[in-house]
Amino acid sequence: KDIMPNGSSTPPEPLTPDSAPIPVNAPREGLPPLLNTTHDIAKAAESLSAGVGILALDTERASGFTYSQRAQLIQLRRRGAGTYLIDPTAFSHPQEDLAPLASAINPLTWLLHAADQDLPCLRELGLTPQYLTDTLLARRLLGYKRCNLGHLTEEILGLHLAKNHSAENWSRRPLPDSWLNYAALDVEYLVELWDELYKEALDRGRSEWIDQECEFERCKPSPAPKKDPWRSISHIHTLKTRRDMEIARQLWISRDALAAEKDIAPGRLLPDRLIITLAKAKPTTAADLQTLKGTGRLRYRNRWLHTVKNGLHTPANRLPPLLLHSDQPIPHQSQWKRLNPDAAHKLSQCRTVTERIAEELGIEPQDLIAGEALRTLSWTLTEENSPESITASLVASQARPWQIAHVAGALAEKLAVPVE
């Protein structure tokens, strides 16, 4: 059995107001080595296969530093096997080189904290779970207010993890031991934390909720590419002319191409605020650029000036519209009162119902039912407000059975009341 810092084979009792968390500064078996050869991977796969129970995983990415969201480090822990740290960037052909690991762990039940953040970069490496559990999903459905892994570990296990490297550039090599120590602690007590959370879920009759949410997360497809992704530039709504929009569009495209080429986060090359500034000011010379606030340390100045000039020469009939006409069947909610007052009223009623039920359950309304599902229901529902029609709409919106069981009947009852 795993030995806890208090000398017991089980987690300590939850903290009382007068108790202090036990500090944990290093993994129980010491800092594991960083694995970066195919021989290392084969040995790790063999050991993890021989382990017992669910597999705790985590990844570190370099969000905010690199263009790609690939995994820069993978942490794994399983009872009877210990902890493994793997550097996926060390392999020329990651999917092929990590295939023995995939064969060993893909059939297992995985345990992550915030699986939606880690699964995409793991799938890129050929690592995909057959079964999934998630301490963050469990936390939300049990009504815990703080989602941070450190807070949960402290609140439930009475352990304070040494975690002070969350915002590092994990693409750096070599990785310092202090960073690796931090990363190893992310999976050190994840299984014990899950055991306690799931025990509480069983006691409170919420285990099925968690099972359904985890399975939904495991099977959720990747989001579709955004139409005109450049329109996500911060404060783009402040641009008042189509020419401004064209310059912003070209700057975004040029920045994205350079960021992908150099694997640098786009905002580190040209922040959104400077895209807006350049689109409004339209500088065409170095002297023009120097007069603009925030451009003192701007790199690739000639590239941005050239891009602005291109935007100024785009023919008028090719300029983008100020507003993107949505091809979605449901317009933005801000237009509902004008376009469909009945739908706006239904949505208000639906929110009243779901907010009340969520409060009774002690969870957040968005965890009870997605806002998109309520908007679709309110916009498309005809005069028939029966539980069956409401259930059909929620099923089409991919609401889970536990959610439908809690809200369908109450929504039908509320929507059946005539509008005064």
Side-chain angles (χ1 to χ4, degrees):
K1 294 182 179 180
D2 291 330
I3 303 300
M4 306 294 291
N6 62 353
S8 167
S9 61
T10 58
E13 291 297 318
L15 291 176
T16 65
D18 297 327
S19 62
I22 301 171
V24 179
N25 298 314
R28 284 165 280 193
E29 298 94 6
L31 181 63
L34 184 60
L35 309 185
N36 52 23
T37 70
T38 54
H39 176 74
D40 291 339
I41 297 302
K43 296 293 289 184
E46 182 180 351
S47 180
L48 290 166
S49 292
V52 178
I54 61 179
L55 174 73
L57 287 92
D58 190 30
T59 68
E60 303 297 340
R61 299 174 303 282
S63 301
F65 292 94
T66 63
Y67 181 83
S68 70
Q69 291 299 305
R70 67 175 180 167
Q72 303 288 341
L73 182 70
I74 304 173
Q75 307 99 281
L76 310 97
R77 181 175 179 83
R78 195 179 187 200
R79 284 174 173 147
T83 298
Y84 292 88
L85 302 179
I86 295 175
D87 181 3
T89 71
F91 300 97
S92 301
H93 304 92
Q95 283 208 19
E96 179 181 335
D97 295 331
L98 296 178
L101 181 67
S103 298
I105 71 172
N106 284 5
L108 303 179
T109 298
W110 290 13
L111 170 62
L112 298 100
H113 184 80
D116 62 323
Q117 298 181 28
D118 295 305
L119 286 179
C121 65
L122 289 168
R123 287 181 179 128
E124 290 179 357
L125 300 171
L127 305 176
T128 305
Q130 187 170 351
Y131 307 98
L132 177 68
T133 51
D134 187 329
T135 48
L136 178 60
L137 288 175
R139 177 214 68 85
R140 284 171 19 196
L141 296 184
L142 290 173
Y144 286 84
K145 299 303 180 185
R146 299 189 296 179
C147 65
N148 181 278
L149 179 59
H151 288 152
L152 270 182
T153 306
E154 209 168 286
E155 185 173 351
I156 295 174
L157 300 181
L159 303 175
H160 175 74
L161 303 181
K163 295 178 64 60
N164 52 358
H165 293 290
S166 60
E168 306 290 3
N169 179 4
W170 289 90
S171 66
R172 168 182 167 180
R173 292 298 182 273
L175 290 169
D177 283 353
S178 60
W179 296 16
L180 296 174
N181 186 81
Y182 159 91
L185 287 178
D186 275 344
V187 294
E188 184 73 9
Y189 294 102
L190 202 57
V191 172
E192 289 88 342
L193 181 60
W194 170 257
D195 288 345
E196 292 300 309
L197 287 170
Y198 203 68
K199 178 183 177 182
E200 181 181 345
L202 288 169
D203 291 342
R204 295 173 59 185
R206 298 190 178 189
S207 60
E208 183 61 29
W209 305 5
I210 295 171
D211 292 343
Q212 291 177 21
E213 289 302 312
C214 288
E215 180 62 8
F216 175 77
E217 189 61 50
R218 186 184 74 86
C219 300
K220 188 168 65 177
S222 300
K226 290 183 179 180
K227 182 177 182 180
D228 288 352
W230 59 271
R231 289 184 180 271
S232 63
I233 298 170
S234 300
H235 302 293
I236 195 170
H237 64 278
T238 64
L239 299 183
K240 302 303 182 184
T241 72
R242 294 174 63 199
R243 181 68 62 186
D244 293 351
M245 294 291 278
E246 171 63 8
I247 294 172
R249 183 187 74 85
Q250 291 206 27
L251 284 169
W252 187 95
I253 293 172
S254 179
R255 180 187 71 172
D256 193 67
L258 183 62
E261 175 189 334
K262 295 186 175 295
D263 196 21
I264 297 176
R268 289 183 171 267
L269 296 173
L270 182 67
D272 279 8
R273 59 181 173 78
L274 284 185
I275 289 183
I276 299 299
T277 297
L278 297 179
K280 291 178 178 179
K282 305 174 184 60
T284 57
T285 67
D288 293 340
L289 197 58
Q290 287 179 339
T291 65
L292 301 178
K293 183 180 179 180
T295 62
R297 297 185 177 182
L298 185 62
R299 295 180 294 166
Y300 307 105
R301 291 165 171 260
N302 290 337
R303 183 186 186 99
W304 313 132
L305 288 172
H306 178 72
T307 303
V308 169
K309 291 175 184 177
N310 283 344
L312 288 171
H313 290 106
T314 300
N317 61 355
R318 293 176 54 193
L319 297 177
L322 284 174
L323 296 176
L324 179 65
H325 297 292
S326 174
D327 56 2
Q328 299 299 315
I330 300 177
H332 190 272
Q333 182 188 325
S334 61
Q335 304 177 50
W336 283 28
K337 286 187 177 180
R338 176 175 60 85
L339 298 175
N340 192 338
D342 181 57
H345 178 72
K346 286 179 181 177
L347 181 58
S348 176
Q349 289 180 306
C350 288
R351 285 176 171 165
T352 299
V353 169
T354 55
E355 287 171 3
R356 173 181 57 80
I357 296 174
E359 183 177 4
E360 292 170 354
L361 296 174
I363 62 177
E364 296 297 323
Q366 63 266 27
D367 293 324
L368 174 63
I369 196 75
E372 184 179 353
L374 291 184
R375 289 190 290 273
T376 300
L377 171 68
S378 302
W379 185 265
T380 60
L381 198 63
T382 62
E383 293 299 322
E384 182 190 2
N385 299 327
S386 66
E388 293 76 17
S389 61
I390 290 172
T391 296
S393 176
L394 295 177
V395 168
S397 292
Q398 296 186 305
R400 273 65 78 198
W402 76 269
Q403 296 174 318
I404 295 171
H406 275 93
V407 304
L411 288 173
E413 183 178 347
K414 183 69 173 180
L415 294 175
V417 177
V419 179
E420 296 181 358

